[in-house]
Amino acid sequence: MNAPVRLESLGQLGGPVTAEPIVRFERVSRSFAARRGNAAVYALDDLSLEIPRGEIFGVIGRSGAGKSTLIRLINGLERPSNGRIIVDGVEIDALSERELRPVRRSIGMIFQHFNLLSSRTVFDNVALPLEVAGVRAAEIKARVEPLLDLVGLADKRNRYPSELSGGQKQRVGIARALATNPKILLGDEVTSALDPETTGQILALLADINRHLDVTIILITHEIPVIKEICHRVAVLEAGKLIETGRAFDVLTKPRHPTTSNFVRNVTGVELPADLARRLRPEPAPGHQAVLRITFTGSHATAPVISRLTSILGIDVNILAGRIDSIGGEPFGALLVSVPGEEVTRLATISALAALQLKGEVIGYVA
C-alpha cells in the first residue's frame, strides 16, 4: 500500500471549527401513511438534535429505529412531515429540488455495500461526482489523484471493483465521497460488511480524515464498537425517538436508558465467568461473599483500586474478572471483585469506593 499523502494538501473549505452546530433538527417528525385507515407510521417522532461542526457523530439504534430516515433527511432525499432541518446554516427542508443540488455537493455519502460501478475503474469511480458536476478533466485529475494517495489506492487506479477486496472497495467509496470537497460525510453502516481487522483500518482512516480535513462525519450504525472507537458524540434512537445523546464516553460508561444499557453491556461491562454466574444468588446468606462491579473512568481507570481498598478497610478483596479499555482515547475500566458479605462490610466498601470517586454496585452473592 502506498504511503498516504499529507492530508493538509487536500484542504477543506469552510474555515475553523465553531460552536455553531453544522446540522440541527428542530422537532422533526417523518411520518408515512398507513394502509387501511390505520394511524400514520412515524419513522422519526418529534426529534430535536444538534451535531457539532468538525466532530465524528454516531447515530445508533436497532433496525427500524429511524437511522436511515435521519440520514436521508440530512441530504434532502426525504422531507420532514413536521419541524425544521438546518444544515450549515441553510434550512434545507425549505429548498426546492434545484436549490438542493449545491447543498448535496457539500455532503458526501459512504455506503454499506460500496455502490461502485463495476464497469468503471477505481479512478473513474472516484471521478464520477466531479464529472456529473461538469468539472474539467484536468481539474478532475488534480483532485482524484491525491484522494487515491490519501486512501492508499494510488497503485490500484486502473483496477476494477471486481479486482478489489471489501476494504479496498470501501476506500474507493470514501475517496469518491470526498471528491466534491464536502463539509459533511454521511456513513451508512460503513463497516458492517467488513471483517474486524479491515473495520479497524477503515475507522482509523475516517478518524484521520476528520482530524486533518475538518470534515464532520455522521455515522449511522448498529455496532457499539464503531461508536466506542472513533465517535466524539452519539445519539441513541428507538422507535423514531431520541432516547439519549451526549459525549460518547459519557453515554457508553453511564447509560441512562435501558436500551442504551443493553447496547453497551458487552462493550463496557465485564462478563461473569460461567461458573460464577451459575453460583450467583440475589440475597446474602451467612458466610457468603458479596460480588461487586466497580466502574472507573478517566484518570481513575488505572488507579490501584484493590490495594487502596485493602489498606482503607483491612479486608481481603478478591479479583474475579476485569478489563481496561478506552472510548475515543479516554480510558475506562471495570472490575468484578468479591468481599466479605456482611452488611457492614458491604456498605463500608461502597462508601470507600465513592470516596475514591469510583462507582461500586453489588450484583449478587456467592458461597
Side-chain angles (χ1 to χ4, degrees):
M1 181 180 296
N2 293 42
V5 297
R6 286 180 60 82
L7 297 181
E8 291 87 343
S9 67
L10 292 168
Q12 170 61 41
L13 302 176
V17 174
T18 67
E20 176 68 19
I22 195 167
V23 175
R24 186 165 70 246
F25 280 64
E26 297 180 355
R27 305 201 66 174
V28 170
S29 295
R30 178 67 171 106
S31 62
F32 298 91
R35 296 180 178 179
R36 298 180 181 178
N38 293 327
V41 176
Y42 280 83
L44 290 178
D45 188 2
D46 197 29
L47 183 143
S48 294
L49 178 67
E50 292 188 350
I51 298 177
R53 187 182 300 271
E55 291 195 352
I56 303 178
F57 193 98
V59 180
I60 192 164
R62 298 188 178 91
S63 297
K67 305 187 302 295
S68 296
T69 299
L70 184 146
I71 212 170
R72 290 172 64 83
L73 286 168
I74 292 173
N75 59 19
L77 292 177
E78 291 191 22
R79 301 293 182 116
S81 305
N82 295 292
R84 300 169 70 230
I85 303 170
I86 294 90
V87 177
D88 199 24
V90 177
E91 187 177 345
I92 63 167
D93 52 285
L95 300 180
S96 66
E97 190 63 30
R98 181 170 169 271
E99 292 169 329
L100 268 173
R101 289 172 193 157
V103 175
R104 288 189 179 130
R105 282 196 290 271
S106 71
I107 302 173
M109 185 76 187
I110 311 168
F111 300 94
Q112 176 182 6
H113 296 297
F114 322 126
N115 285 15
L116 304 181
L117 296 178
S118 60
S119 60
R120 294 176 69 100
T121 64
V122 166
F123 183 98
D124 291 338
N125 266 286
V126 177
L128 181 60
L130 298 172
E131 293 175 12
V132 171
V135 177
R136 293 181 304 170
E139 294 178 19
I140 289 176
K141 181 179 179 182
R143 179 64 183 167
V144 172
E145 288 185 344
L147 286 172
L148 292 180
D149 280 336
L150 165 64
V151 300
L153 293 178
D155 60 337
K156 301 288 192 298
R157 58 172 290 156
N158 295 320
R159 298 290 184 88
Y160 289 88
S162 62
E163 303 174 272
L164 304 178
S165 68
Q168 290 169 336
K169 290 176 184 177
Q170 194 57 288
R171 289 174 183 271
V172 177
I174 291 170
R176 179 185 57 192
L178 290 169
T180 58
N181 217 8
K183 297 178 181 179
I184 300 171
L185 281 184
L186 303 178
D188 185 7
E189 302 282 6
V190 298
T191 61
S192 63
L194 305 176
D195 62 76
E197 182 179 355
T198 306
T199 290
Q201 295 169 357
I202 293 299
L203 293 179
L205 175 60
L206 290 173
D208 217 28
I209 288 168
N210 166 258
R211 189 162 46 247
H212 290 93
L213 296 185
D214 190 28
V215 179
T216 303
I217 300 177
I218 303 170
L219 295 177
I220 304 300
T221 184
H222 66 277
E223 300 174 306
I224 277 288
V226 171
I227 305 294
K228 169 181 168 290
E229 188 67 25
I230 64 168
C231 290
H232 302 114
R233 295 178 189 272
V234 62
V236 186
L237 300 185
E238 183 174 67
K241 291 184 177 292
L242 177 66
I243 60 172
E244 192 159 355
T245 188
R247 292 177 65 244
F249 186 86
D250 296 333
V251 172
L252 268 59
T253 58
K254 294 174 284 189
R256 299 188 303 272
H257 193 279
T259 296
T260 313
S261 296
N262 289 335
F263 267 122
V264 307
R265 183 174 292 121
N266 292 333
V267 176
T268 60
V270 181
E271 187 175 352
L272 280 170
D275 177 63
L276 178 63
R278 285 194 297 268
R279 294 188 291 117
L280 200 66
R281 298 292 179 264
E283 300 295 334
H288 279 204
Q289 294 270 308
V291 178
L292 278 72
R293 179 186 290 114
I294 303 172
T295 305
F296 37 102
T297 59
S299 61
H300 303 289
T302 55
V305 177
I306 303 305
S307 62
R308 289 184 181 178
L309 283 178
T310 301
S311 175
I312 293 170
L313 300 174
I315 61 172
D316 291 328
V317 181
N318 299 315
I319 299 176
L320 306 174
R323 68 184 295 171
I324 295 178
D325 209 331
S326 66
I327 297 174
E330 293 187 60
F332 78 95
L335 277 177
L336 287 179
V337 303
S338 65
V339 300
E342 296 85 1
E343 182 178 13
V344 64
T345 304
R346 295 197 316 268
L347 296 176
T349 302
I350 292 174
S351 178
L353 289 169
L356 294 171
Q357 299 183 51
L358 303 171
K359 178 185 177 183
E361 56 180 329
V362 176
I363 64 170
Y365 302 85
V366 292

